[in-house]
Amino acid sequence: MRKTQWFDFRNFFHKPSLTSSIKPCPFKSYSFVPFSPFAMLDPTILTLGGIVLGIAIIERVLERWGVIDLVDQFSKVMRFILPVTFYSALIYFFATFMF
């Protein structure tokens, strides 16, 4: 017959255990996600995105005010600046990102 060990409630919760219940993991686990999404919170990327977003908002405000000539100039400039900014930020992100 097995001997049963009795604990009262107070001793069970306040007395430290003699043996650890946590066993070391025998194998390494790897993440399937190659990078963290928090890496996108780089200040340089956020600044470039904020500038482009600000210019787009200014363009919409000017369009509502009826200054179509100025909006046309903005759109001609943005047609060149947006792709250049996007690809530069993408190259910067992958150049400075630690895998």
Side-chain angles (χ1 to χ4, degrees), residues 52-53 56 59 77-88:
V52 170
L53 186 64
E59 187 178 352
V77 170
M78 292 305 284
R79 224 176 267 155
F80 173 74
I81 289 179
L82 282 176
V84 169
T85 306
F86 171 75
Y87 288 118
S88 331

Side-chain angles (χ1 to χ4, degrees), residues 3-51:
K3 183 177 177 184
T4 307
Q5 192 174 13
W6 289 94
F7 296 103
D8 64 344
F9 185 76
R10 187 171 290 140
N11 288 338
F12 179 75
F13 278 103
H14 295 293
K15 187 176 181 182
S17 175
L18 298 176
T19 59
S20 176
S21 62
I22 301 172
K23 296 179 182 175
C25 187
F27 60 90
K28 291 182 180 179
S29 61
Y30 295 97
S31 173
F32 291 109
V33 179
F35 59 89
S36 169
F38 293 113
M40 298 296 263
L41 296 177
D42 183 34
T44 306
I45 304 261
L46 290 176
T47 303
L48 288 174
I51 290 170

